[in-house]
Amino acid sequence: MKRRSIIHILLFAMGLSFCTSSCEDMLTADLDRHQDTPAQDTLYTYWGVLKSLQGISERYVILGECRGDLVSGTEYISDSINSICDFDREKAVDGSNRYLRARDYYHVINSCNSYLAYADTNRVTGTNNKYMIKEYAQVEAIRAWVYLQLVQVYGEVPFYTRPLLTTADIDAFIHNPSSPTASRNNLPDLLGPKLEMVKDVPLPNYDTYGIESDPICHSLLCTFPVNLVLGDIYLLRGTKADCTKAAEYYYEYLEENMATPSRSYYCYGYQSMITNTPYYSMNGEYYFTSTNKPTSLSELITVIPTNKNKLTGSVQRGVNSLFGYTPTISVADTSNNATIILTPNYEKELDPSAGYFNLCKSQQYEEYIGESDKLDQLSPKVAEGLGDARQAWIEEWNSSAGQQGKFITKQNPYGAFNTVYPYIYRKGSVWLRFAEAINRAGFPGYAFAILKDGVCNNARWFATQPSQFEFTEYQYFDKADKDSVIRDRQELLDEGLEIDSIPVLESATNRQNPANQVICNYISYDEAMRAKDAGFLYFNRSSFYGEPDRRIHIRRSNTSTGFNITYKTVEGGCGIGIHSRGCGSLRVDEPNSVFNFEDAVKKANPNVTDPYDLAQQEDVIEAVENLIVDEFALETAFEGNRFFDLMRVSLRRNDPMFLAKKVANRKGYEDATLLNRLSDPANWYFKLPNR
């Protein structure tokens, strides 16, 4: 007899009872069947809340990608998906479209409200530990995350925190014009204080759920770290003060969990194979589909797992089907452990867009050429035409019938596997949001460091002392003589005046001394000095130790496909830049790298003529933000974040055309109708029923 975990048993029971009867008809006209009876067992109810997330898991991906610029519809696209892609608010009607049902979000929220109202968090064990405080904190986080999704999809939404237990309660709330609402502008105020109270509570750990010999997912992967949810709701509102708060929350998570990006996941390419399949993902499938307990080296942080069959819970296959895979269940062995098999379906609804491929092609892939493993004996080179190697997530399939097609494999692993789930948080996305936050908090150089070199506590990484920066040649005066006139500094020294009597002036160039030889030598004097008072830029902690060495790709010159990967040891540890995951071995000698701060900033915003001129800092911040937006697309494409990333930046800039132009050009040309529609932010949101 197979041993089943407590989580499997709970989920099975909930699939038959709790989660099918709480608030399924929220925000619909038919409310007569609604009834909610809070469960007395708080653990049982907690897993009911988690299971209810399955009802909104797929639309996180679909609503985030269909409305972005990285996918486009094919000739086989359905009317319902097409109306979402086209932002057709008259056809994309809540309730008639399976991916537009606000009641599913409120199903989760009402379950959370019920739990928070009735859970007894004061009961303690014999060791004086509170029974359910970990679960209580998680339910607070889940409710906040769901409200965040509602606000991003519908704009302004009804807000309540008490359980609505009767039809009369719900009807009164929905139709009351004075009912409170939530929006991006007040979400931090409505939810922030309670989240603050529980952000330091440890995550609940129930080990792996599912049959012991056939695990579905580790329970820690089903948790929502409170600091990440807090960071997201502040980042969405997006003032400078909010971005500073968001940076603090993201930093706390990264610091506490030693969550440095792993060097083991990256994509690479061969220029010599440009006409064939030039892109390869190293360890990508493992890092993105692992069901194991998360560690400091893991990529996944939070997922919403699906089930294999209806007997054990909700079965979600919409993401697979839309991206062109037909899922089937197969019996893998005599123990009756089922696996899922995805088969390419050439009548798919969604393709990677021309806009996505154009962005990838515009990147420059760096590599080293030569026979030696010593960098000083190698020639750095840009692989012309290769672009970003994270295109490895796109595979081209040819059928026996002569059909061809490009298929998105991210979240659609080809072959047999146990489960598919949307990932909500992972290392790459959190680091990029951290970069977005610190950039808007006034630290564009440090934000760029996350893209190019990563951050770590190695003294070689950042300049911290004034002596490490350049000083302009000024005229000085004798401080001891009030009647002295401005004279050349050297003249005063030649006359034997004490050095201390000559004032030391602030750096006028903001640039570091080249002899300093730190890795991130593009950090300005102004930023470095202000960083001392910014706790979220204090990298001298164990969590930012980084990897012991840096991966270097070397393409052998005497073969067409020979490719060597070696590791260069960096004393004290080194950071891993997110951009290097797709653009090769970015050179640490900054000016010689094609992806260097000064050139990248000027290219990203032509208004910048001198990135070190403090008068141009707002333009520099916008330039770095443009780079981060592109990196979001390259690193997290097809995961469900794209539209929300564009929305967040556009709203912060008060520039709807930033989003409108990118989405309207997703097919490689400008769609004038879509551009005009998206120029009005009201059209970014779907309509709520009864509102």
Side-chain angles (χ1 to χ4, degrees):
M1 179 178 178
K2 301 184 183 73
R3 183 164 63 88
R4 297 171 181 262
S5 72
I6 184 175
I7 300 174
H8 177 85
I9 297 170
L10 287 172
L11 289 178
F12 180 84
M14 291 181 296
L16 301 177
S17 58
F18 175 80
C19 287
T20 61
S21 62
S22 64
C23 54
E24 193 171 76
D25 296 311
M26 184 68 185
L27 291 179
T28 66
D30 180 13
L31 296 171
D32 294 335
R33 296 187 296 114
H34 184 87
Q35 185 176 5
D36 191 349
T37 303
Q40 299 303 310
D41 188 316
T42 50
L43 181 59
Y44 174 92
T45 312
Y46 168 66
W47 281 100
V49 170
L50 287 184
K51 185 179 182 300
S52 66
L53 284 169
Q54 291 181 326
I56 62 174
S57 62
E58 289 190 307
R59 71 193 65 180
Y60 176 78
V61 178
I62 292 165
L63 298 181
E65 294 302 332
C66 285
R67 296 185 296 160
D69 58 334
L70 308 180
V71 303
S72 57
T74 71
E75 59 183 306
Y76 302 106
I77 193 170
S78 64
D79 290 342
S80 59
I81 296 299
N82 191 55
S83 64
I84 293 174
C85 291
D86 285 348
F87 296 81
D88 191 335
R89 301 176 78 211
E90 301 306 317
K91 293 182 180 178
V93 178
D94 193 287
S96 64
N97 186 313
R98 64 174 290 199
Y99 299 115
L100 291 174
R101 293 197 297 241
R103 69 177 184 269
D104 295 334
Y105 294 96
Y106 282 99
H107 177 185
V108 186
I109 288 170
N110 209 41
S111 297
C112 291
N113 290 345
S114 180
Y115 180 95
L116 296 171
Y118 295 101
D120 183 1
T121 58
N122 290 319
R123 293 178 61 196
V124 296
T125 65
T127 55
N128 221 25
N129 292 321
K130 292 186 176 181
Y131 273 116
M132 301 301 295
I133 190 64
K134 295 178 182 179
E135 291 78 7
Y136 185 92
Q138 270 302 287
V139 174
E140 286 278 13
I142 290 169
R143 181 175 64 179
W145 182 83
V146 175
Y147 267 122
L148 175 65
Q149 305 317 304
L150 270 171
V151 164
Q152 292 181 130
V153 174
Y154 294 100
E156 189 171 11
V157 300
F159 179 83
Y160 71 107
T161 57
R162 70 183 192 282
L164 301 180
L165 304 180
T166 68
T167 300
D169 289 340
I170 297 172
D171 188 64
F173 175 76
I174 292 173
H175 297 289
N176 184 352
S178 62
S179 292
T181 59
S183 68
R184 63 179 280 264
N185 291 321
N186 68 355
L187 207 55
D189 303 320
L190 294 172
L191 298 171
K194 287 199 172 181
L195 290 174
E196 273 281 352
M197 293 172 63
V198 297
K199 71 181 180 69
D200 296 322
V201 174
L203 298 173
N205 182 357
Y206 299 102
D207 203 17
T208 299
Y209 78 77
I211 300 172
E212 184 180 34
S213 61
D214 187 23
I216 293 176
C217 185
H218 195 281
S219 61
L220 283 174
L221 286 174
C222 301
T223 59
F224 288 71
V226 177
N227 274 320
L228 298 186
V229 178
L230 273 165
D232 285 356
I233 64 177
Y234 277 94
L235 195 63
L236 178 62
R237 187 164 68 179
T239 67
K240 184 175 181 179
D242 289 326
C243 289
T244 300
K245 288 278 286 184
E248 293 169 354
Y249 292 127
Y250 292 135
Y251 172 85
E252 284 183 16
Y253 173 82
L254 296 170
E255 206 289 311
E256 291 168 4
N257 293 276
M258 299 181 67
T260 53
S262 172
R263 74 177 186 192
S264 298
Y265 161 63
Y266 59 95
C267 300
Y268 66 90
Y270 293 131
Q271 185 183 24
S272 57
M273 299 174 65
I274 198 70
T275 58
N276 194 2
T277 306
Y279 307 111
Y280 296 85
S281 175
M282 293 297 294
N283 302 315
E285 187 167 313
Y286 170 77
Y287 277 96
F288 286 80
T289 61
S290 173
T291 61
N292 298 328
K293 179 181 178 180
T295 68
S296 61
L297 297 178
S298 303
E299 181 67 22
L300 296 181
I301 297 172
T302 301
V303 305
I304 302 177
T306 185
N307 294 81
K308 298 176 187 177
N309 56 70
K310 293 181 180 179
L311 289 176
T312 55
S314 300
V315 179
Q316 311 292 336
R317 297 293 180 267
V319 171
N320 307 142
S321 299
L322 289 175
F323 286 130
Y325 291 91
T326 300
T328 56
I329 306 297
S330 172
V331 176
D333 53 40
T334 55
S335 63
N336 296 323
N337 292 336
T339 58
I340 301 166
I341 297 176
L342 296 181
T343 306
N345 176 6
Y346 293 87
E347 295 184 359
K348 59 184 182 294
E349 296 188 48
L350 298 174
D351 264 339
S353 70
Y356 168 75
F357 286 120
N358 289 338
L359 177 62
C360 289
K361 290 175 183 176
S362 69
Q363 307 306 305
Q364 295 179 293
Y365 187 93
E366 296 187 55
E367 59 185 353
Y368 290 84
I369 308 297
E371 296 301 318
S372 173
D373 289 343
K374 297 180 179 179
L375 296 189
D376 58 359
Q377 298 179 22
L378 296 171
S379 301
K381 181 181 178 182
V382 173
E384 297 297 336
L386 195 60
D388 194 287
R390 281 168 286 191
Q391 294 173 78
W393 289 111
I394 309 299
E395 291 192 13
E396 187 161 344
W397 295 101
N398 300 306
S399 73
S400 57
Q403 296 168 302
Q404 293 182 327
K406 294 182 184 295
F407 290 82
I408 297 169
T409 62
K410 189 182 279 188
Q411 300 197 107
N412 293 291
Y414 183 70
F417 55 96
N418 285 332
T419 185
V420 171
Y421 38 70
Y423 6 103
I424 306 304
Y425 291 114
R426 67 176 180 87
K427 297 278 187 67
S429 61
V430 172
W431 273 100
L432 288 176
R433 289 178 198 174
F434 180 45
E436 180 184 345
I438 65 176
N439 179 54
R440 280 292 171 177
F443 297 92
Y446 287 93
F448 184 80
I450 291 173
L451 302 185
K452 183 180 181 296
D453 297 299
V455 297
C456 72
N457 70 352
N458 187 343
R460 285 193 59 205
W461 235 246
F462 297 100
T464 59
Q465 303 301 319
S467 59
Q468 293 175 281
F469 291 83
E470 288 185 339
F471 288 77
T472 300
E473 289 295 328
Y474 279 100
Q475 300 293 313
Y476 290 78
F477 60 93
D478 181 359
K479 190 176 183 180
D481 181 1
K482 66 179 181 179
D483 297 322
S484 68
V485 297
I486 295 175
R487 295 169 57 194
D488 182 76
R489 178 176 185 272
Q490 191 59 47
E491 289 181 7
L492 295 173
L493 291 174
D494 290 344
E495 291 178 10
L497 293 172
E498 293 292 332
I499 281 288
D500 290 342
S501 68
I502 303 174
V504 176
L505 301 184
E506 295 289 305
S507 167
T509 66
N510 256 324
R511 298 174 185 268
Q512 294 186 31
N513 190 327
N516 188 36
Q517 295 186 335
V518 296
I519 302 300
C520 300
N521 58 14
Y522 40 82
I523 305 294
S524 72
Y525 176 86
D526 173 69
E527 282 191 54
M529 296 303 104
R530 287 190 290 111
K532 295 179 178 181
D533 297 321
F536 53 83
L537 292 177
Y538 180 63
F539 300 126
N540 294 321
R541 299 193 183 190
S542 59
S543 61
F544 293 102
Y545 181 81
E547 299 285 349
D549 39 37
R550 193 178 184 93
R551 185 184 66 252
I552 301 296
H553 298 185
I554 304 171
R555 183 158 64 86
R556 299 311 189 194
S557 59
N558 63 346
T559 62
S560 59
T561 60
F563 205 65
N564 183 52
I565 300 170
T566 188
Y567 295 91
K568 177 178 173 58
T569 300
V570 179
E571 184 179 354
C574 64
I576 305 296
I578 300 298
H579 196 64
S580 65
R581 284 181 160 183
C583 286
S585 305
L586 303 183
R587 291 176 60 100
V588 296
D589 46 344
E590 159 70 5
N592 295 316
S593 172
V594 67
F595 190 68
N596 65 80
F597 179 70
E598 190 157 348
D599 290 341
V601 165
K602 289 179 178 178
K603 183 178 179 181
N605 187 351
N607 292 329
V608 177
T609 58
D610 180 4
Y612 298 98
D613 180 2
L614 291 180
Q616 300 182 44
Q617 187 172 58
E618 288 305 310
D619 287 330
V620 172
I621 288 173
E622 186 169 299
V624 172
E625 189 168 71
N626 289 340
L627 294 171
I628 293 170
V629 168
D630 285 349
E631 198 65 36
F632 270 123
L634 297 166
E635 174 68 16
T636 70
F638 320 124
E639 297 175 25
N641 306 307
R642 185 55 175 172
F643 180 74
F644 306 126
D645 292 337
L646 295 177
M647 172 195 289
R648 193 170 60 242
V649 173
S650 291
L651 292 173
R652 182 186 302 128
R653 295 183 180 185
N654 194 25
D655 179 15
M657 295 306 292
F658 177 80
L659 177 150
K661 288 180 179 179
K662 286 187 178 293
V663 177
N665 282 278
R666 61 188 169 195
K667 293 184 178 180
Y669 59 85
E670 186 172 276
D671 183 330
T673 300
L674 194 55
L675 181 68
N676 182 62
R677 183 174 295 164
L678 294 178
S679 64
D680 181 1
N683 293 323
W684 300 355
Y685 306 102
F686 296 108
K687 296 178 181 178
L688 278 170
N690 304 320
R691 282 274 172 170

